[in-house]
Amino acid sequence: IDSISVMIGRNEGGGSVHWWVGYLNDSTLNFVIRVDGGSGDVICQSGQIYDKDWHYVAAVRNASTNKVYLYIDGIEANNGNYNGSGYGLVSDVPLNIGFLRRGAGENKEYPFNGIIDEVRLYGEKALSPSEVANNYYNGTKHRPACKLGNFAPLYTSTPVDTAYEDQ
């Protein structure tokens, strides 16, 4: 993998929002939040997982503990401190899945080289470690996404069209 490969993220070019989850340089998974113009990035980094297998990935920000977490296959891979200062996570800027748009133009940069399936966003609360583990063990581990056949969705929910940064 070269440079940066973004699964999901949001960037307001020159503005106040810049975060992403994806691979950085050496096939490590990262949760990056830009603070202070890039001089104080919060990075949760995993070990190498570029093994061509399916993985469940979760990135969580818990405002009550001022922490961010990166989970792989239901298990915490790393965490970091983020108190919500500097650049934030919430904006009117479109959310990017499979790439990161770095400016106001239409250029899609840092394309993700892989397949993304079953994206979920939770805006009302931070998932607990047990909720992340349950999502993994009750979903992707026991019913592979690419198995042949016509399967009903494992999860259904009401779409949420608002998000609150400090919850």
Side-chain angles (χ1 to χ4, degrees):
I1 295 177
D2 317 295
S3 189
I4 299 172
S5 178
V6 174
M7 293 176 186
I8 188 168
R10 178 175 273 158
N11 181 66
E12 186 176 340
S16 62
V17 173
H18 180 98
W19 65 267
W20 58 270
V21 176
Y23 289 102
L24 179 61
N25 296 327
D26 58 1
S27 71
T28 58
L29 190 64
N30 293 264
F31 181 16
V32 176
I33 303 171
R34 171 111 354 120
V35 295
D36 302 325
S39 63
D41 291 353
V42 175
I43 301 177
C44 287
Q45 188 174 68
S46 75
Q48 292 189 343
I49 64 163
Y50 189 68
D51 57 11
K52 300 186 188 233
D53 285 335
W54 281 97
H55 291 281
Y56 172 83
V57 174
V60 175
R61 177 193 175 220
N62 188 326
S64 65
T65 63
N66 291 329
K67 300 284 277 185
V68 291
Y69 301 90
L70 183 62
Y71 295 88
I72 300 170
D73 297 335
I75 299 170
E76 183 182 324
N78 205 343
N79 66 70
N81 298 313
Y82 176 62
N83 64 9
S85 66
Y87 292 126
L89 301 175
V90 178
S91 170
D92 291 339
V93 174
L95 182 70
N96 304 147
I97 298 175
F99 66 94
L100 185 66
R101 187 166 309 194
R102 290 198 49 215
E106 295 298 317
N107 293 338
K108 296 176 181 177
E109 299 182 61
Y110 309 123
F112 179 68
N113 183 19
I115 298 171
I116 299 170
D117 189 27
E118 299 183 28
V119 174
R120 297 182 208 165
L121 302 172
Y122 299 86
E124 298 175 7
K125 69 180 205 96
L127 293 181
S128 70
S130 63
E131 289 171 316
V132 171
N134 285 337
N135 283 348
Y136 171 65
Y137 287 108
N138 293 324
T140 57
K141 181 179 180 188
H142 299 289
R143 193 177 246 169
C146 290
K147 188 174 180 181
L148 294 177
N150 185 11
F151 299 103
L154 293 175
Y155 300 98
T156 58
S157 63
T158 305
V160 175
D161 59 4
T162 57
Y164 304 97
E165 184 169 357
D166 292 325
Q167 292 189 356

